[in-house]
Amino acid sequence: MKKIALLGATGSIGTSTVDVATAYPNLFRIISLTFHSNSEKGASLIEQLKPQYVGVGSEQIKQELMERFPEVEFGVGEAGLIKAATLEQVDVVLTAVTGSVGLNPTMAAIEAGKDIALANKETLVMAGQWVMDAAKKNNVSILPVDSEHSAIFQCLEGQKEGNLKELVITASGGSFRDLTREELKSVTLEQALNHPNWSMGKKITIDSSTMMNKGLEVIEAHWLFGTDYDKIKVVLHKESIVHSMIVLKDGAYLAQLGPSDMREPIQYALTYPNRLPIQNEKSFDLTQIGQLNFGLMDFDRFPMLALAFYVGKKGGAYPTVYNAANEIAANAFIDGEISYSQIEEFVQKAVENYSETNEVTFNEVIAIDKQTRTIVERWIKEEGRL
Ligand code: NAD
Ligand code: MG
């Protein structure tokens, strides 16, 4: 019986994780969970899963739910996330919160010796070096949930380290893959949220359309697999059937294919190295799919992808700045405060605005993250246009 802490239980990944865990009640139990504001969905999850501990986003939600569920212990905010992630009985923490709120609970879980099933890629982008060092020191596994990284992880199984030539991450291209940069200027939130292949939370759907998501994934892959940026390639693959590939020294390509169903990588992160059937599996028939297409990624069309390689190679807190600026800008676009093209403008400007001469410490990275948020919030107030 694997005991799971599920951070971000009400979201898209959270919901798929509940499906995976409840399909095998003898193998999995979600003993703690967190959610931010959707107390209706949160309450129904508490009824369904009967967790011991629940972290919520506000004191008000805590009070409401304490009356309804006197047998459950509740916590609020970051303290609640940390407690949920570090309960003694927890074996693995599935990090399905969105954004940088995932960092501190993930670090606390690693220090408490919990394995991590990582969906929250922002954590690795923000502080990859420190997260990976802590995992190594505490002998903790970080298992990828992101579909591309799960694919690469699966392809790498059984390969000798020296065999690898490069990683090839596939990109669907997001909602605006067929638009020119000129056409992007007038797009709406509703159009941006309409992803062609995947149904996901709002922020990651916006990130997919700006190619920020692929940029974050490049940096995530660098830290998860210890691969140099020069050996990470991105190709356009509109079908999202090949979830990613590796290329070996002799030129052999290994690819992992499957339906667009996040339950697969989630389940593999929880059952690794074993495999189990997925309930009500999505139909997947290559003879019906017929064709798979691959194309070059245009770095001029998608400057956020080019910028990911730039900040990744610069290292230090550059990826932190890239991530923090995007988090604020993408959420401001979702909230109707800025135009779509301002997401890119603010991320680009935040990176240009930043300079670093010395090595940074973990605490400095946290401070730089905060500073970047404040600066971008100010730009939004001063320059936000819709
Ligand atoms: P989502 O928006 O659907 O859900 C986010 C969850 O985080 C919710 O449970 C919400 O309550 C919680 N949350 C939001 N803000 C919070 C805060 N300030 N404090 C505490 N909790 C908060 O997002 P999602 O699509 O499930 O994505 C979650 C993470 O997984 C992201 O990092 C995303 O990049 C990653 N991911 C998602 C997918 C996908 O298919 N959805 C695929 C790969 C990776
Ligand atoms: Mg992905």
Side-chain angles (χ1 to χ4, degrees), residues 154-296:
Q154 294 176 50
C155 293
L156 285 170
E157 269 175 55
Q159 288 301 332
K160 284 192 184 143
E161 218 177 300
N163 286 353
L164 184 72
K165 187 173 163 208
E166 59 194 27
L167 309 181
V168 183
I169 299 178
T170 52
S172 71
S175 343
F176 300 140
R177 61 194 182 190
D178 297 321
L179 302 191
T180 62
R181 290 199 62 75
E182 193 50 39
E183 287 166 329
L184 277 184
K185 287 183 181 156
S186 55
V187 296
T188 65
L189 175 63
E190 199 189 352
Q191 291 168 323
L193 288 177
N194 187 19
H195 194 286
N197 304 352
W198 298 92
S199 155
M200 311 183 283
K202 283 186 185 171
K203 188 213 169 232
I204 184 175
T205 306
I206 300 301
D207 287 354
S208 298
S209 74
T210 54
M211 215 45 69
M212 257 321 280
N213 183 51
K214 214 45 59 180
L216 299 173
E217 289 183 355
V218 165
I219 300 168
E220 181 186 12
H222 167 79
W223 290 115
L224 276 175
F225 306 114
T227 310
D228 288 348
Y229 286 101
D230 291 334
K231 293 183 175 175
I232 303 177
K233 302 285 176 313
V234 179
V235 298
L236 185 65
H237 170 51
K238 291 187 177 177
E239 292 88 355
S240 296
I241 296 293
V242 172
H243 295 315
S244 278
M245 306 177 249
I246 65 170
V247 189
L248 300 174
K249 287 229 167 108
D250 58 4
Y253 274 66
L254 304 188
Q256 191 264 346
L257 289 74
S260 313
D261 184 347
M262 286 308 293
R263 291 178 304 166
E264 293 203 351
I266 290 168
Q267 182 172 289
Y268 194 54
L270 296 174
T271 60
Y272 171 79
N274 302 313
R275 302 228 181 212
L276 290 170
I278 299 264
Q279 276 188 0
N280 307 317
E281 207 176 0
K282 274 193 178 177
S283 72
F284 183 74
D285 182 349
L286 283 176
T287 65
Q288 291 295 315
I289 294 160
Q291 275 192 14
L292 298 176
N293 293 281
F294 299 94
L296 278 178

Side-chain angles (χ1 to χ4, degrees), residues 8-14 34-37 81 95-99 101 119-122 146-147 198-202 204 213 262:
T10 50
S12 161
I13 293 287
T34 77
F35 62 90
H36 195 53
S37 52
L81 283 158
T95 65
V97 289
T98 194
V101 287
N120 177 245
K121 64 194 88 186
E122 292 92 338
D146 214 345
S147 57
W198 298 92
S199 155
M200 311 183 283
K202 283 186 185 171
I204 184 175
N213 183 51
M262 286 308 293

Side-chain angles (χ1 to χ4, degrees), residues 123-138:
T123 288
L124 271 192
V125 176
M126 198 179 156
Q129 186 188 320
W130 294 274
V131 174
M132 295 313 287
D133 284 353
K136 203 169 168 192
K137 199 173 119 206
N138 292 284

Side-chain angles (χ1 to χ4, degrees), residues 43-112:
S44 80
L45 285 175
I46 298 173
E47 265 167 13
Q48 182 190 1
L49 303 168
K50 305 197 177 359
Q52 291 176 21
Y53 185 88
V54 173
V56 298
S58 71
E59 194 60 43
Q60 193 195 335
I61 297 178
K62 177 182 161 182
Q63 293 304 333
E64 237 175 70
L65 293 178
M66 265 171 64
E67 279 173 29
R68 239 177 108 181
F69 303 102
E71 68 288 2
V72 178
E73 192 187 339
F74 288 91
V76 180
E78 184 167 90
L81 283 158
I82 290 176
K83 179 85 186 274
T86 55
L87 279 193
E88 202 187 328
Q89 301 92 316
V90 166
D91 298 308
V92 56
V93 180
L94 200 138
T95 65
V97 289
T98 194
S100 56
V101 287
L103 178 63
N104 287 340
T106 305
M107 280 299 247
I110 293 172
E111 272 151 24

